[in-house]
């Protein structure tokens, strides 16, 4: 790996040197042809602002429009060139990339100005995509696609394809509309190329090619998009007209985002963070959950407060409180994580849900039995060996620890499953809402079981 | 959504009825043309074994080979038809799909038999892919790709493409090799179609098109594959010959798998689980971590045991133990989750790592200060209001709680960052190893701080 990273770094340095050199526009453009846009983008980001401003005149808007989509935070680079230049770059980009780039500019007014400076087609596309909520399919589509009519001949189709491909380079799948301009199927470019001139176009149209509504929710559609495993899927408006497409690259991004969100939420973050996050942003993303958890923790503490008498008379029970609460927490998290993925990945019926909850409880119960027995043995050995308890007393305490552990683990797997299912049912994101509630309920059940048993069975007897 | 799911269900039922009907082979194949393979696959799975066995004779190996890749657990369907029939289906599938399907068959001998029954080309492809470890790029590539020679004319290239496309349908990107059969670039099908007959092929070859080595690790390469955003990337052997390609669909799967694994590990599962997991498998995936955590929990308990005297004399401190440990755990998990994503997503230098650790501690410290102050106030109010403590005593206890919370949160964010970085450095998967270690260290630090302070400052004074 080390050598490879070095090679990689060398390549980027080569491009940087190239971009800084004073060769002619023509020479530079030809030299850049040997490098991938992704690498040029990385080099471009390493330059000084003045270098980049100078480069606009050399490379031109069209070439920059191919590089910019590979830059993650492109907003600052758009604002350091003139608005006219920026608009020129944006209108040469795919509409969805232009939308992403514009989103990077914080100043609403500046953004609006750039959209107005773009040519009519490009700004209309941007406005169309922007008209959808960020969790709707329409917000991630591109308007770069080819569409032909159902009654074309193979030759007409090929001609139409070639003329449209000047502006639209997603040509691997060609979409077909009927006389009323309604979407009716798709043709693989391969099939069109291989078709003889006299083949009826209908023979190569796949009428079963999937489509998606622009206002469908991304998280609801993502599994479908993955399952159909097509390289691009048409996006329809309510009249079934094609207004855009979702490409495989969009799906990669969406899968990455969705999973990243689930991951972040499981960790108690309100959103994913990256390396460049500012201190304030990081704090903002983390403190909401921590505040909530503090409040709930105080609630748990006040319940433990009820058992202060038990603690005062049998102090040894405190030693194992953290063990029981931690294990309940761990089991609850396992059940929660599995439940959330199941809810996201599959459509399950009420009966299946009931079966699933039951299964989780059986898993939790079996694991609880194993761990409870282990705790029963080891805690007794510890108390006898290190705390000089007689075996009877040691096993009395360890019996309560083991039994409480068992109960806590069954309850945790039940709570860890039923709470996300409940939130999913009432259309609240289960990944956000479940964690703190599960922890609290689990803690309370575990504490009441443990100290309750200890109070009943141990106080006055040890 | 409800109506849509209903429509979806109706469609699957239509296909089921169709597959069960006694229409002729020709009629059925034509009728199926109206449905997507993904939907046919779902219907196929709902049939009885006898129906499916009968269908082989009607649909034939080629059509089944298009449906089978959409079935998740295809092993059982391959074993219910004869081995000759199964091999026939497998050899018509893309090599990577065939490999996936074969992996679903548990019986090693049966698998080997099927590979031997496949035609020579197909079995060689399967053996090639199988020769790579499951975390190497080679294990997820397909051998379905088109390759042409550098010195071809546009016309020759087109002719070669058409002849190869009988067997290989990934034709959107065409790979180019030099005289020594070494990979030297790629051509987009679009550019080949739009090129005039007399254009030199060199003009449309992209020499900067990325490639990946077959023995590269998937988790190391996945970011690169995502970044280059190409629809398929060639896989090279050590001689730089193309032996396969990674498609966008493969990348979607890999991203999904990688993130799913990170997610599972964060939740304390050894691997992702789905709805159909058996009880025993679920237990197996969960119990390793639980056992480890139980052992570590016992260790923490034995440290708490040292403070039994403190507990016995100031029982009220126990009430807030869970609060401090839980918060330390939450902050540690946040830091761990952020660190793991940063380590996976970016190549960071030693200096950046140090900065990152420092930043995490500042985030943890700031949040700890806020929460510590809140705890200081609320715990005192609780003790005064509900436990009849005088204000001085209430604030003595709450001061220790608040301060311990603050210390625990700084330490947790440090430990939650440094431990995964350490494991990453020594090439141990940080997502697996970090969780339990962080929890234990955090618990120990929090317990020692809290009970230590309480012992020093409170015992004999309240």
């Amino acid at each position: 790996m080390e050598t490879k990273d070095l090679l990689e770094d060398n390549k980027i340095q080569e491009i940087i040197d190239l971009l800084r050199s004073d060769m002619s526009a023509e020479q530079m453009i030809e030299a850049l042809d040997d490098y991938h846009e992704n690498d040029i983008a990385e080099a471009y980001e390493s330059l000084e602002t003045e270098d980049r401003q100078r480069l606009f005149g050399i490379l031109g808007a069209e070439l920059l429009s191919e590089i910019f989509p590979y830059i993650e935070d492109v907003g600052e680079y758009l604002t350091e060139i003139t608005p006219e230049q920026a608009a020129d770059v944006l209108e040469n980009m795919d509409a969805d990339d232009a939308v992403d780039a514009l989103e990077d500019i914080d100043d609403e007014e500046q953004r609006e100005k750039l959209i107005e400076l773009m040519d009519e087609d490009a700004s209309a596309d941007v406005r169309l995509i922007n008209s959808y909520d960020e969790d709707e399919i329409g917000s991630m589509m591109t308007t770069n696609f080819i569409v032909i009519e159902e009654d074309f001949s193979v030759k007409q189709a090929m001609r139409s394809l070639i003329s449209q491909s000047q502006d639209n380079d997603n040509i691997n799948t060609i979409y077909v509309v009927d006389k009323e301009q309604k979407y009716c199927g798709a043709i693989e470019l391969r099939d069109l190329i291989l078709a003889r001139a006299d083949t009826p176009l209908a023979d190569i149209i796949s009428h079963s090619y999937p489509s998606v509504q622009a206002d469908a929710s991304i998280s609801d559609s993502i599994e479908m998009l993955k399952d159909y495993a097509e390289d691009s899927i048409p996006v329809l408006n309510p009249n079934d007209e094609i207004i855009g497409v979702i490409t495989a690259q969009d799906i990669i991004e969406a899968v990455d985002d969705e999973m990243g969100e689930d991951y972040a939420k499981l960790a108690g973050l309100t959103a994913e963070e990256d390396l460049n996050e500012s201190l304030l942003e990081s704090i903002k993303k983390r403190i909401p959950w921590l505040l909530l958890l503090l409040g709930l923790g105080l609630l748990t503490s006040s319940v433990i407060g009820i058992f202060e008498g038990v603690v005062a008379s049998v102090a040894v029970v405190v030693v194992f409180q953290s063990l029981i609460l931690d294990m309940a927490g761990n089991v609850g998290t396992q059940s929660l994580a599995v439940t959330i993925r199941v809810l996201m990945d599959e459509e399950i019926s009420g009966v299946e849900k009931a079966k699933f909850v039951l299964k989780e409880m059986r898993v939790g119960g079996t694991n609880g039995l194993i761990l409870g027995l282990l705790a029963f043995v080891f805690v007794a050995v510890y108390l006898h060996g290190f705390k000089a308890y007689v075996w009877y007393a040691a096993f009395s305490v360890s019996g309560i620890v083991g039994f409480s552990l068992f109960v806590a683990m069954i309850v945790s797997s039940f709570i860890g499953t039923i709470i996300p299912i409940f939130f999913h049912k009432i259309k609240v994101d289960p990944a956000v809402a479940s964690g703190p509630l599960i922890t609290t309920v689990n803690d309370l059940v575990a504490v009441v079981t443990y100290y309750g048993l200890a109070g009943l069975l141990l106080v006055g007897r040890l």
Side-chain angles (χ1 to χ4, degrees), chain A residues 12 40 56 136 160 204 235 268 284 334 376:
Chain A
I12 305 299
I40 304 177
F56 184 89
E136 288 178 336
S160 171
I204 56 171
V235 179
K284 268 201 242 162
Q334 288 185 335
F376 177 60

Side-chain angles (χ1 to χ4, degrees), chain A residues 228-239:
Chain A
Y228 281 99
E230 298 288 356
D231 280 335
S232 73
I233 291 186
V235 179
L236 310 183
N237 68 12
N239 295 327

Side-chain angles (χ1 to χ4, degrees), chain A residues 146 159 165 229 283 287 417:
Chain A
I146 308 270
R159 207 175 300 141
S165 67
I283 292 174
I287 205 150
T417 316

Side-chain angles (χ1 to χ4, degrees), chain A residues 228-339:
Chain A
Y228 281 99
E230 298 288 356
D231 280 335
S232 73
I233 291 186
V235 179
L236 310 183
N237 68 12
N239 295 327
D240 284 342
E241 291 155 350
I242 310 179
I243 57 172
V245 296
I246 300 291
T247 65
Q249 298 303 328
D250 296 329
I251 299 176
I252 292 175
E253 244 175 77
V255 168
D256 203 21
D257 288 352
E258 285 286 318
M259 296 284 290
E261 269 179 43
D262 280 0
Y263 178 85
K265 287 170 190 164
L266 189 66
L269 303 161
T270 54
E272 245 192 317
E273 283 182 39
D274 65 31
L275 192 58
N276 307 315
E277 208 85 19
S278 80
L279 188 68
L280 193 69
E281 278 173 81
S282 287
I283 292 174
K284 268 201 242 162
K285 282 187 180 169
R286 300 192 203 181
I287 205 150
W289 276 52
L290 294 178
L291 286 174
L292 179 63
L293 288 163
L294 179 73
L296 293 170
L298 286 168
L299 175 70
T300 307
S301 286
S302 68
V303 172
I304 298 179
I306 301 171
F307 297 99
E308 203 184 323
V310 178
V311 172
S313 67
V314 215
V316 73
V317 292
V318 172
V319 171
F320 307 103
Q321 177 197 301
S322 68
L323 183 73
I324 294 167
L325 293 195
D326 279 359
M327 293 311 291
N330 295 328
V331 170
T333 305
Q334 288 185 335
S335 287
L336 169 65
V338 173
T339 308

Side-chain angles (χ1 to χ4, degrees), chain A residues 151-190:
Chain A
D151 55 5
F152 277 7
S153 69
V154 164
K155 215 166 166 184
Q156 282 176 306
M158 201 68 196
R159 207 175 300 141
S160 171
L161 163 68
I162 289 174
S163 84
Q164 290 180 63
S165 67
Q166 306 301 327
D167 291 326
N168 299 298
D169 58 1
N170 280 337
I171 68 164
N172 299 331
T173 308
I174 299 144
Y175 302 100
V176 186
V177 292
D178 64 15
K179 271 180 238 102
E180 283 144 9
Q181 298 297 311
K182 283 185 198 302
Y183 167 70
C184 69
I187 298 177
E188 296 295 338
L189 175 57
R190 166 174 41 98

